Amino acid sequence: DIDKGFAKPVTADDELRRLLASQQMHLEDRPPAGKIVRLRANANVSTGGSYTDVTRLIHPDNGAMAETIARAFRLDSVGIDFLTRDISRSWREGHCAVIEVNATPMQFCDAHVAQFLANKFAEGDSGRIPSVLLLCGTPAIQKRLFVELNSLGQGIGTVTGMETQLNGFVRPFGKDPDAGAAAKTLLLDPACEALVAICTVNEIRQRGLPLDRFEVCQWTADVEPDQEIHNLLTACCHTTLKISVDTVAAALRNVFQRIGTSTA
C-alpha cells in the first residue's frame, strides 16, 4: 500500500514526539486496543490522512453553504476545508469554520470525477462547441467575410490567420499569427459558444486546418478545391458544400440555428 501511495510511512520527527508527549505517550509505548493515538496535528492526505465519504451524513445547511461558496467564487469544482466535530450538525450551531477554499481540488475518487464530468456534459455531449470552416479564395474576400460575420451574434467567434473576434471585440495577434493559434485562444474562452474559421486554400496547404475537425465546411464560389484538399475536407468535416460570397452570413446564421447556437 505504501508503494501505491495509499499509505504513508510514519516519520519519527520532533513534531511526532511533541504530539505524543501531549497525549502522555512515548515512541516505545504500546497503546491498548481501541485507543486512538494522534500522530499528526493536521489531516492532510500527503502526511498520512485518509478520505472518508460522509456525503449521506452532511447536514443540509452545510451542503447549501458549500454550494453558496462555490457560486460566489464562480467555481464548477471546489474543495472547501470545513472544520467541524460533527458534519451532521448545521454550521449555524457554531463550533466550526471554513478555513480554505481551493479552486483546483485534488480528485482521488474516480466516481467523483465521473460525477463531475456528467454534471458538466450531458449524455452524448462530446464537449466540443459547434464549428464551421469557411474556405475562400483570396485574403481580400477573407477580410470582407471577417467584417460581415462579426454581426452573427453573441458567443460566436470569428477567426482568420490575422484577426480574431468575439462579441464585437477584435483581439490582436503576435508576430507569427495563424488561424490555428487564433482558434485555440477562442476555445480557451468560455464565452465562445461557436467558432467560424476563415481560411484561404494556400493557408490550408501551408499550415493545415485550424482545428482537427469541423461540423460544417463551406467554400465560396471563387474556390475550386483540388482532389487533395477535397479529400481533407471530406475527412475532417461532417458536411461540405459550396456557397455564394453574398449569402455567407445568412447561410451561417441558419447553420448555427440548426445546431442549437443562439444568433442575433
Side-chain angles (χ1 to χ4, degrees):
D1 286 344
I2 291 178
D3 293 339
K4 296 179 181 179
F6 294 115
K8 303 289 182 181
V10 177
T11 302
D13 53 15
D14 292 340
E15 179 185 359
L16 174 61
R17 292 184 177 88
R18 285 194 297 269
L19 196 57
L20 288 176
S22 69
Q23 302 170 83
Q24 289 78 50
M25 299 191 68
H26 302 280
L27 282 174
E28 296 77 15
D29 291 344
R30 178 180 295 178
K35 180 179 176 61
I36 296 176
V37 180
R38 297 177 61 201
L39 303 180
R40 281 290 182 266
N42 59 30
N44 294 344
V45 174
S46 61
T47 56
S50 60
Y51 282 106
T52 301
D53 190 346
V54 295
T55 304
R56 296 182 180 181
L57 304 178
I58 297 176
H59 191 282
D61 285 351
N62 299 336
M65 173 196 64
E67 292 174 359
T68 300
I69 291 173
R71 290 194 301 271
F73 284 93
R74 307 293 194 271
L75 296 173
D76 295 316
S77 178
V78 60
I80 300 173
D81 290 353
F82 178 55
L83 296 185
T84 179
R85 291 184 179 276
D86 187 355
I87 196 68
S88 66
R89 295 177 59 184
S90 170
W91 64 268
R92 301 177 188 276
E93 299 180 26
H95 305 291
C96 58
V98 172
I99 62 171
E100 188 174 5
V101 176
N102 298 294
T104 55
M106 300 179 69
Q107 297 281 1
F108 287 96
C109 176
D110 290 345
H112 290 171
V113 175
Q115 182 179 11
F116 171 72
L117 292 176
N119 291 337
K120 289 293 293 180
F121 302 104
E123 185 176 354
D125 186 350
S126 66
R128 298 176 69 98
I129 64 173
S131 56
V132 173
L133 174 65
L134 185 55
L135 201 59
C136 63
T138 66
I141 295 179
Q142 185 183 68
K143 176 66 176 179
R144 170 187 166 183
L145 293 176
F146 179 79
V147 173
E148 290 182 2
L149 298 184
N150 286 348
S151 63
L152 272 180
Q154 292 292 306
I156 300 179
T158 309
V159 165
T160 73
M162 296 299 295
E163 297 175 287
T164 177
Q165 182 275 150
L166 178 64
N167 295 340
F169 293 95
V170 176
R171 304 184 181 186
F173 261 92
K175 296 180 179 180
D176 186 27
D178 67 82
K184 290 178 181 178
T185 64
L186 289 184
L187 293 177
L188 292 173
D189 191 332
C192 184
E193 300 175 0
L195 181 72
V196 180
I198 309 173
C199 301
T200 65
V201 174
N202 285 337
E203 287 174 332
I204 298 296
R205 292 188 184 281
Q206 293 171 6
R207 298 178 181 267
L209 297 178
L211 298 178
D212 58 336
R213 66 181 186 271
F214 290 85
E215 295 272 352
V216 177
C217 172
Q218 298 179 336
W219 64 85
T220 56
D222 62 320
V223 176
E224 287 295 339
D226 60 26
Q227 192 61 46
E228 183 180 11
I229 293 294
H230 190 273
N231 291 342
L232 176 65
L233 299 179
T234 302
C236 300
C237 305
H238 186 267
T239 305
T240 61
L241 67 157
K242 182 182 290 189
I243 191 170
S244 167
V245 173
D246 296 328
T247 61
V248 166
L252 287 185
R253 186 172 284 108
N254 291 333
V255 167
F256 285 126
Q257 288 176 346
R258 174 171 55 80
I259 58 182
T261 301
S262 59
T263 57

